Amino acid sequence: MIKLANLMKCARFIFVALMVLLPFSVSAEPQGKLIILHAGSLTVPFAKIEKDFEAKFSKVDVLREGGGSTKMARMISELHKPADIMASADFNVIDKTLIPEYAVWNIRFATNQLVLCYTDKSRFADQITANNWYKILGRKGVLWGHSDPNLDPCGYRSLMALQLSEKYYKVPGLHDQLIANRPKKNIRPKSVELVSLLKTGNMDYAWEYLSVAVQHGLNYITLPDEINLGNYKKDAFYRQATVKVTGKKPGTWMTRIGKSCTYGITILKNVQNPEAAEAFLEYLLDPDGGLKTLKDMGQPPFIPCRVPTKKMKSTVPLSLHKWIEVRN
């Protein structure tokens, strides 16, 4: 009986020890597939970040798909496409399309600004400047374009930049004049598609993010802060620009209001690989990790990254708290 009692005590001890150690052994190293949907403008830096992350976590296979942020969010909300992480070029896309049904929190991690891109082959490339660019775009025969405002934040931001230019340069009707010189065929689903059109000479000028221009070696015109949507201190001026885009459901509409470019990222509620998703964000938001890659590629990150309220921060995984602060 004494031996049996001792054996039972020993068994209980082993069981308790296993229960204590098991969680650590299971979560010691993330593994499996990690699905990330992201803005097309993040394609180049995320490719580098993916490579570095997989070198650190060799058992994780990152599967990425880039495109217009609105389109990516709708693939989740309307088509129920499986995904672990969503990263948007406009944090408002996550707020308005995914929260609260498909996501709980939204971390703002980087900024950007609009520039007008071109190549040496572009018409009047030897004449265009930061002072006359809008006159060049209005010339007959000049081919210029932007991404689809219904699918890609860069698209509606491009239209906002034109509206703001009319106010900044004090040229009544400038927005409409320029749009009249831009065929609808020059509107593409995502801004990065315009890069190939520029490089092949099939388009003269295209609206892009500064980071995209830098990453693809394009010539570009830097615009005043009142136009480029890159300075949060100018948000009051930016709010004068509004663009009507398609809503969550077919046949509905919503109005996008001008605001400085701010990128957002979240882990989705139906995340299939939470361990890998959390590890990826922990690497991405590290100033010496993913944020350094963004900075090196022409896209200024927030250090630390931001959430708007204490309540939202309380819903973010604890491992990410060291990289975020509460700030609007």
Side-chain angles (χ1 to χ4, degrees):
M1 291 295 290
I2 295 176
K3 287 183 179 181
L4 181 59
N6 288 337
L7 284 173
M8 291 180 67
K9 285 181 180 180
C10 185
R12 281 198 297 270
F13 176 81
I14 294 172
F15 177 79
V16 171
L18 285 173
M19 290 300 98
V20 171
L21 293 173
L22 188 58
F24 293 96
S25 62
V26 169
S27 60
E29 184 178 355
Q31 57 186 314
K33 294 181 180 179
L34 176 65
I35 302 174
I36 303 174
L37 302 186
H38 61 78
S41 57
L42 290 170
T43 298
V44 175
F46 268 32
K48 173 69 163 57
I49 291 168
E50 172 190 345
K51 182 179 179 180
D52 294 342
F53 176 78
E54 288 182 342
K56 186 175 182 181
F57 298 99
S58 59
K59 294 182 180 179
V60 177
D61 180 18
V62 176
L63 305 175
R64 294 181 299 103
E65 182 173 350
S69 297
T70 304
K71 180 182 178 181
M72 295 292 102
R74 286 178 177 169
M75 287 171 66
I76 295 167
S77 64
E78 296 175 13
L79 303 179
H80 305 292
K81 182 178 178 67
D84 298 300
I85 291 172
M86 166 69 193
S88 172
D90 185 350
F91 75 92
N92 278 309
V93 170
I94 293 175
D95 282 354
K96 295 184 177 181
T97 307
L98 300 180
I99 292 176
E101 189 172 355
Y102 301 94
V104 177
W105 47 266
N106 184 6
I107 296 175
R108 305 172 192 183
F109 68 99
T111 65
N112 223 323
Q113 64 175 270
L114 288 186
V115 295
L116 185 62
C117 294
Y118 65 103
T119 70
D120 294 338
K121 303 175 186 176
S122 301
R123 291 174 178 84
F124 309 113
D126 59 339
Q127 299 179 29
I128 195 166
T129 68
N131 296 319
N132 70 2
W133 64 267
Y134 58 93
K135 296 176 182 178
I136 299 293
L137 291 192
R139 291 182 181 179
K140 187 176 181 180
V142 172
L143 301 176
W144 69 273
H146 58 80
S147 57
D148 189 340
N150 296 312
L151 302 176
D152 185 22
C154 193
Y156 55 73
R157 284 170 172 160
S158 300
L159 298 179
M160 289 173 179
L162 296 180
Q163 293 179 29
L164 295 171
S165 297
E166 180 172 327
K167 298 180 182 300
Y168 180 76
Y169 295 114
K170 295 180 173 58
V171 181
L174 177 61
H175 170 272
D176 292 345
Q177 292 170 24
L178 294 178
I179 292 299
N181 201 42
R182 179 231 61 204
K184 287 189 175 180
K185 66 180 182 179
N186 290 354
I187 302 174
R188 298 303 171 112
K190 53 186 178 180
S191 61
V192 291
E193 288 185 23
L194 301 169
V195 173
S196 60
L197 293 174
L198 286 174
K199 289 188 172 182
T200 56
N202 292 307
M203 187 171 285
D204 298 309
Y205 300 93
W207 290 95
E208 294 284 357
Y209 293 117
L210 174 59
S211 62
V212 173
V214 171
Q215 292 156 17
H216 292 276
L218 297 170
N219 300 334
Y220 59 90
I221 296 295
T222 302
L223 304 169
D225 280 354
E226 288 81 1
I227 299 172
N228 65 29
L229 297 170
N231 186 343
Y232 70 92
K233 294 180 180 179
K234 300 292 183 181
D235 274 345
F237 189 80
Y238 298 156
R239 283 195 287 271
Q240 297 179 88
T242 60
V243 176
K244 190 177 181 182
V245 299
T246 52
K248 290 183 180 181
K249 297 179 181 179
T252 64
W253 298 86
M254 67 173 69
T255 299
R256 299 290 189 187
I257 300 172
K259 193 171 185 179
S260 52
C261 300
T262 301
Y263 284 57
I265 193 165
T266 189
I267 294 176
L268 298 163
K269 277 186 175 181
N270 64 346
V271 56
Q272 299 299 302
N273 194 341
E275 294 83 7
E278 193 172 325
F280 183 86
L281 256 69
E282 192 170 358
Y283 177 77
L284 172 68
L285 305 183
D286 185 343
D288 295 321
L291 294 188
K292 184 179 184 302
T293 298
L294 288 172
K295 183 179 180 181
D296 290 346
M297 293 189 175
Q299 187 162 7
F302 286 129
I303 300 176
C305 298
R306 304 171 179 179
V307 291
T309 64
K310 289 182 179 180
K311 182 178 180 181
M312 181 176 285
K313 184 176 181 179
S314 70
T315 65
V316 175
L318 290 175
S319 64
L320 305 180
H321 281 207
K322 60 180 174 291
W323 303 134
I324 61 176
E325 66 176 355
V326 176
R327 182 176 175 182
N328 261 318

